Amino acid sequence: MEEVARRRAAEAVRAREPAATGRLARLRRPAGESRGTGVWRAPDEEELDRKVLGILPPRPWTTLRATPLERHPNGPGPS
């Protein structure tokens, strides 16, 4: 459990970088669960895994599924 706590603390610090550069747009988790769902920005899945998510300390323990997103015509915000 100490290793998990250490990596979570390191992740909180390390996640500030992609958030500051706009690569991390949103991060949420289901109530009462530790898993998360994020909206990340990268030109392709390889860069997302290698340069964005790959820098996070828990990465070796995570399972990723990337789904490309595009703007919905009825969504709020700039087009």
Side-chain angles (χ1 to χ4, degrees), residues 2-37:
E2 287 181 33
E3 180 66 12
V4 172
R6 187 185 68 74
R7 286 188 187 228
R8 283 188 177 158
E11 178 185 28
V13 172
R14 191 71 168 149
R16 290 183 189 130
E17 179 185 325
T21 62
R23 290 191 178 262
L24 173 56
R26 296 279 182 269
L27 189 57
R28 302 285 188 265
R29 74 171 163 209
E33 296 185 25
S34 61
R35 68 182 174 91
T37 299

Side-chain angles (χ1 to χ4, degrees), residues 42-67:
D44 55 48
E45 192 172 343
E46 180 183 344
E47 184 165 323
L48 176 67
D49 187 40
R50 193 169 35 91
K51 293 184 178 177
V52 180
L53 300 177
I55 69 168
L56 300 175
R59 176 63 187 102
W61 299 345
T62 60
T63 301
L64 300 177
R65 184 180 74 207
T67 303

